[in-house]
Amino acid sequence: MARIINPILLKLIFVSIAYLFSWTSVSAQVITLEPIDVTATRVEKNLTEIPSAVSNIGRDDIQLGAEQLGLDESLNSVPGLFLMNRYNFAQDLRASIRGFGARSAFGIRGIKVIVDGIPETLPDGQGSVDGIDIGSVEQITVIRGPASSLYGNASGGAIIVESERGPPEPFTEIRSTGGEHGLQKHQLKFGGQSGDLNYMVNVSDTRTDGYRDHSEAENRQFNTRLEADLSQNTTVVATLHHTDQPVANDPGGINATSVEANRRQARDRNLMFNTGETLRQNRFGLMVRTELTKGHSLQARVHHIDREFDASLPISGNGIIRFDRNVLGTGLQYTWESSLGSKPNRFLMGLDIDRQDDDRSRFQNKEGGIAGARVLDQNEEVTSLGVFLQNETRITDRSEFTVGLRYDEVEYDVTDRFINSSNGDDSGNITFDQVSPMVGLSFALTEDVRLYSNISSGFETPTTTELANPILNEGGFDQTLEPQESTNYEIGIKSLTGKHRYEVALFSIDIRNELNPYEPKEQEGRTFYRNAGESSREGIELSYATKLGHGFEFASAFTWSDFKFDRFSNEQGNVFDGKQIPGIPEHFLYLGLTWFGKNGHYLIWNANLVGSLYADNANQTKVDGYTVSNLRFGQEKFIGDWEISPFIGVNNLFDEEYNSNIRINAFGSRFYEPAPERNFYGGISVRRVFGG
């Protein structure tokens, strides 16, 4: 397919729009501002006014009648966001925004994940969602495109999660879900308002046997959010989250022949070495917001995360991984709302300091996941410092100009504690720094329609895992890796209010030193990384939603992209110039239809149409596209102070054969992780409101 976006043309359009904005008459019609919706840009701002592509998902889309096993259940409706790997709990969800995050072998890379104001992404850029309690999520905001000027390292995009607040009247809710493949999920939630204290507590227990052999998982979570008004001007929010995942087996990737023979089988070496992981994590966060004087406000955060992790890989030499992690972070943000001349102006500045301390060991895997001799013992410390500024100025009654700038420094220190006659001291340190600017313009065509453009930048340092030395059984860091840098050019138009809601975004991204995964023959099952020279990404993102009447709502989202290597060759001399970047389909489409009846009945149908993608850098293996449709139905019935809500659902309604994940550049063509066929689930929630 020919490229439909010329990056030079896109940049010329951006300059033209900037010129138009700069000459807009001050006497233009005054636009009435809409209520504030989200805090994705670190300040409260209406979604339509943000000069970049931002999507927001509400509680009904996340929770109502859903299994609540993965964020993809609700986030598939976001254009530009591609999600895989919902059914392998040992690898975590793989999220990609405009290609950022596609390289991830496990967890989330290149995308900043923030939960209740606390970074779930580590200072080194590694993120995860296993510590997100879906059963108590109020809303999710997605920034689609580089946002390092606000959030620093690993901000090719951002996923911002906010937990529920307790309602004015206290309640208690019990929810139980069961389904095929041994699914059981039980949840207890209660919350409310007591004087100046708002509280919400959620406890859940999830178990599944999994679709494939050796894919069992258990996850228990405890999530608490407390908010108190200390005075008329000061609010404090405390969050506490505990995750206990004693079982998360990994069936591994298999080749096409194995898929054809038995889709549900696990890789033989994964069975031999009993691959999988166990983890326990605690996250505590404290945020204070206060208005100093009129127009001047201050926000501070402090958080602590501790994580115990144990994993078995399908290799013998160093296949057992163990680490104890401690993360301590703090942040401060000052906001000043005033005027510049006669026009409203908002200025903010802030500081983020985060420190990660990992005690990491590796052992021989003596089969069955039994640890043998120690082969690595090191302490890894990562310290990140970020200073940022942002200013928003209403330059005319219709237009607003935003500029941002951030400086980040990320320092890695490794102390080798495994030294003998055959293994020298691999201690060392690496420091990366980056300046990330952003400029954006927003113009109100009408009261409800906004035209915008921006140039933004992003950078991603290699994580401590990605910096692992590829030389067998040697510690320390790979000193050859460089951070990935990106520049994003974007224009768009959006109208997110009223009966018809739509958004169009066109982007062109230049990437330097793209971090790319590979799996060496001598260490099958373990992923390392190298830098690609240059790559480029162009794409279009469309979304449209409307109310059809009689309780029906329709939503759709379409993404087309052209992501390719411009200059990249590996150590073996293979040249990949002009090849498509693996792991991302050229296009994908979401369709959704929701119906809410007068008697509390509801029906939610959606379909994801995903195009083909490549599994390797050489583009020798093309994975077929697929269409997956899901349906859920339920009723919310009130009997006095009781709300009884039964629900049933069908995943993969038309029994499509597809893969839930593709392992990029896997050795031996073991790219495929087959997804479940058609499967059913059902459940009921019972809620009691007190004082209603």
Side-chain angles (χ1 to χ4, degrees), residues 81 95-97 100-101 108-113 121 125 127 154-159:
L81 172 60
S96 168
I97 297 177
F100 296 99
I108 293 179
R109 307 285 203 278
I111 299 172
K112 185 73 77 174
V113 180
T121 299
S155 298
I159 298 176

Side-chain angles (χ1 to χ4, degrees), residues 252-479:
I254 56 179
N255 59 32
T257 302
S258 298
V259 173
E260 185 68 25
N262 179 6
R263 295 176 53 81
R264 302 185 69 164
Q265 68 175 297
R267 184 191 176 201
D268 53 357
R269 289 179 66 87
N270 285 55
L271 294 173
M272 179 188 304
F273 290 101
N274 192 28
T275 56
E277 67 179 36
T278 65
L279 67 89
R280 298 186 69 181
Q281 175 174 300
N282 298 297
R283 181 182 70 242
F284 171 75
L286 188 67
M287 295 186 64
V288 179
R289 297 188 292 264
T290 185
E291 184 178 359
L292 302 173
T293 60
K294 185 177 181 180
H296 299 266
S297 61
L298 194 65
Q299 178 174 297
R301 69 161 171 93
V302 63
H303 76 277
H304 178 261
I305 298 173
D306 64 81
R307 186 179 180 99
E308 299 175 7
F309 181 86
D310 194 325
S312 172
L313 302 181
I315 53 178
S316 58
N318 53 14
I320 300 293
I321 305 171
R322 292 175 183 168
F323 67 73
D324 291 326
R325 170 174 294 155
N326 276 279
V327 179
L328 184 62
T330 186
L332 192 65
Q333 177 179 309
Y334 164 72
T335 305
W336 178 25
E337 298 190 50
S338 60
S339 60
L340 189 62
S342 60
K343 300 301 178 184
N345 188 81
R346 178 157 54 184
F347 171 78
L348 67 100
M349 62 184 297
L351 172 71
D352 292 321
I353 303 175
D354 298 279
R355 183 176 182 273
Q356 169 186 344
D357 188 309
D358 293 358
D359 286 322
R360 185 183 301 271
S361 299
R362 297 185 77 103
F363 303 83
Q364 293 179 350
N365 193 337
K366 298 176 64 176
E367 299 188 10
I370 299 174
R374 186 189 302 267
V375 297
L376 182 143
D377 184 3
Q378 63 188 33
N379 175 260
E380 302 164 354
E381 293 184 0
V382 184
T383 304
S384 68
L385 167 67
V387 181
F388 61 91
L389 306 170
Q390 180 169 291
N391 194 82
E392 303 168 358
T393 302
R394 186 67 57 85
I395 55 178
T396 74
D397 292 327
R398 284 177 176 259
S399 55
E400 185 174 87
F401 175 72
T402 301
V403 61
L405 184 69
R406 178 172 173 128
Y407 171 78
D408 284 276
E409 182 177 277
V410 185
E411 181 180 0
Y412 298 74
D413 284 288
V414 59
T415 302
D416 189 355
R417 298 186 297 212
F418 186 73
I419 304 173
N420 54 43
S421 58
S422 61
N423 181 16
D425 188 349
D426 294 311
S427 300
N429 63 77
I430 306 174
T431 300
F432 303 117
D433 57 30
Q434 184 75 23
V435 175
S436 304
M438 175 269 181
V439 59
L441 292 160
S442 175
F443 178 73
L445 296 176
T446 69
E447 185 175 353
D448 297 325
V449 180
R450 287 263 173 173
L451 184 69
Y452 73 89
S453 61
N454 74 71
I455 301 177
S456 58
S457 60
F459 82 103
E460 304 172 36
T461 64
T463 68
T464 54
T465 302
E466 293 171 347
L467 279 168
N469 196 329
I471 300 175
L472 186 63
N473 290 338
E474 286 201 10
F477 291 141
D478 182 356
Q479 298 281 342

